[in-house]
Every structure is written in C-alpha cells, then in structure tokens.
C-alpha cells in the first residue's frame, strides 16, 4: 500500500523541492509538533498564534512567503498522518514520496524522519480518535438530520400570574445515533450565532485548504 495523494498536495509541497536537506528536517519537526497538539476551544487561538509566529519566522529566514511555508508544513503533516493511519513502513512511504517530485536525498530525509517517529505518529492518530479530535482522522460524527419542537405552557391553574417561557426540544441525528437537547430561546440564539460564525469561517480560503487535508 502507498499513500494516494489528495488533489493539490504535490502543489502545496512544491517548496520542499528547493529546500536544503537540513531545512527539510526542520519542516518535518515542525509538522510533527503541530500534529501532537491537542487543540481545544480554549487554546485554539493560542495555537494558531504560535503556529503563525513559527511560520513567519521560518519564512523570513528562508526568504519565502508565509503561505508557501504553511502549505508545505500542512502537506507534510498530511503525508505523515496518512502514512501512520495506513501503517506504512519506510520503503512504502519512500515510494509514496516520489510522486512529489523530490530528489532522492530529500526523500531520504523525510522517509527516515517518518521511520524514526512512526510510533509517535500512530499514537497521535489513536489519541485523536479516542479524544474525538476531528481535524485529521475523520472520526467526527456525520450529520444526518435535525428536528425541533417549540413547547409553550399556555395556562396554569396554580400560578395565575406566572410568566410562561417557551422552550425548544431539539433532536440531532448523526452517524453515531441521536441526541436530544432542551433549551430556551436565549441559549438557542447563542448556538445559532456560534454556528453562523463557524460557517462563515469555513468559507474562508484558509479553511478550505485545511479541509482538503482532513477529508
């Protein structure tokens, strides 16, 4: 088995074809650092900020654009995680890299780095699955259906002056089953705003490029 290259990976990894081998090794180290991160909502912004700083620093040193550096790092991360998921040995991984148009010495550096860190990468895949992290291994539950019902108490014999607040019963169907939620309008509005923000972010150029690596 070899890695089936996703569309655009070779293009994103183009910078690697002109880097010196010691810089290739540095890119490998940064990629695995990124993969080992355990992003949560509370630290996601810090992670993005730290990654941006590292990318800008490397780009300045190499006199390359930050976008080219980031794309190459993500391409490497994609290759490493795909190889780890498929438990490729070094020779198979080496053969997969030939499709990127890399020289033999560059392929050797990347393949040896993968071989030395294969077990660590497999742990990353396993932990991501166990924790429900969804940005690399595709374990996110798939959306199937969403239904809702508005409940309003219109009368009460015991409390004549009671203020009746509507509530919403939500049912979310996913590939992993159903989940029922009970919420009020204010909370539902906050959920709506959060989802709207997430959808807007998903339409950005940067997000679309990331999604290409996690499908």
């Amino acid at each position: 088995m070899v890695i089936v290259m996703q569309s655009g990976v070779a293009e994103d990894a183009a910078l690697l074809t002109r880097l010196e081998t010691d810089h290739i090794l540095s890119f490998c180290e940064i990629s695995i650092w990124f993969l080992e991160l355990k992003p949560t909502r509370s630290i996601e912004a810090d992670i993005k900020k730290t990654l941006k700083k590292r990318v800008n620093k490397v780009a300045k040193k190499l006199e390359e654009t930050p976008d080219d550096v980031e794309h190459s790092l993500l391409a490497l991360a994609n290759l490493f995680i795909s190889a780890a998921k498929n438990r490729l040995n070094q020779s198979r991984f080496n053969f997969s890299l030939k499709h990127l148009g890399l020289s033999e010495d560059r392929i050797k550096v990347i393949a040896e780095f993968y071989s030395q860190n294969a077990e660590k990468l497999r742990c990353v895949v396993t932990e991501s699955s166990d924790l429900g992290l969804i940005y690399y291994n595709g374990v996110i539950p798939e959306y199937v259906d969403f239904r809702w019902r508005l409940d309003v108490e219109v009368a009460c014999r015991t409390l004549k002056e009671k203020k009746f607040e509507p509530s919403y019963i939500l049912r979310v169907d996913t590939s992993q089953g159903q989940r029922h939620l009970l919420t009020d309008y204010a909370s539902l509005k906050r959920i709506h705003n959060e989802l709207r923000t997430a959808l807007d972010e998903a339409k950005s150029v940067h997000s679309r490029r990331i999604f290409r690596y996690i499908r």
Side-chain angles (χ1 to χ4, degrees):
M1 179 183 290
V2 297
I3 300 173
V4 178
M5 296 292 176
Q6 297 178 12
S7 174
V9 172
E11 179 184 346
D12 288 344
L15 174 59
L16 302 177
T17 63
R18 54 181 190 268
L19 291 181
E20 299 296 332
T21 53
D22 56 338
H23 291 146
I24 292 279
L25 182 58
S26 296
F27 271 50
C28 291
E29 292 170 346
I30 296 174
S31 294
I32 201 171
W33 163 82
F34 178 63
L35 289 172
E36 287 183 298
L37 296 175
K38 303 295 186 297
T40 63
R41 191 173 186 80
S42 61
I43 65 172
E44 185 177 2
D46 291 336
I47 289 175
K48 289 181 178 179
K49 186 176 181 180
T50 301
L51 179 61
K52 184 177 181 180
K53 284 183 178 179
R54 296 195 71 168
V55 166
N56 289 339
K57 183 178 180 180
V58 172
K60 184 177 181 180
K61 180 179 180 180
L62 298 177
E63 297 183 343
E64 300 285 351
T65 67
D67 279 350
D68 284 347
V69 171
E70 183 177 357
H71 297 166
S72 293
L73 288 171
L74 290 174
L76 268 178
N78 174 66
L79 290 170
F80 286 146
I81 211 70
S82 296
K85 287 169 66 176
N86 291 294
R87 305 187 73 84
L88 298 190
N89 57 31
Q90 184 174 340
S91 62
R92 290 291 185 180
F93 184 63
N94 188 311
F95 183 78
S96 298
L97 293 175
K98 293 182 183 297
H99 297 282
L100 296 179
L102 298 171
S103 62
E104 289 297 330
D105 57 337
R106 291 178 174 85
I107 288 176
K108 181 179 179 181
V109 170
I110 298 173
E112 287 182 351
F113 182 88
Y114 166 75
S115 179
Q116 295 166 4
N117 293 274
E119 193 59 38
K120 183 186 293 186
L121 287 163
R122 291 182 190 122
C123 288
V124 169
V125 173
T126 301
E127 290 173 5
S128 296
S129 179
D130 291 343
L131 293 172
L133 300 180
I134 58 180
Y135 59 103
Y136 285 115
N137 54 27
V139 298
I140 184 172
E142 294 184 7
Y143 169 83
V144 176
D145 193 17
F146 175 82
R147 299 187 180 188
W148 62 275
R149 187 180 77 204
L150 173 63
D151 278 2
V152 181
E153 189 175 13
V154 297
C156 180
R157 294 181 179 178
T158 57
L159 297 174
K160 294 183 179 180
E161 297 182 0
K162 179 180 179 181
K163 183 179 180 181
F164 300 108
E165 296 287 349
S167 61
Y168 295 84
I169 299 176
L170 315 177
R171 194 189 83 182
V172 182
D173 297 351
T174 72
S175 57
Q176 294 184 359
Q178 295 181 353
R179 177 161 298 188
H180 293 82
L181 306 170
L182 178 65
T183 184
D184 57 17
Y185 174 78
S187 298
L188 187 61
K189 184 65 175 177
R190 284 196 296 271
I191 293 173
H192 171 271
N193 291 338
E194 290 288 338
L195 291 174
R196 173 55 58 191
T197 300
L199 286 172
D200 290 342
E201 175 65 24
K203 295 176 183 177
S204 69
V205 174
H206 178 71
S207 293
R208 289 199 300 270
R209 186 174 293 277
I210 296 295
F211 291 160
R212 190 164 67 219
Y213 295 121
I214 63 177
R215 286 198 299 264

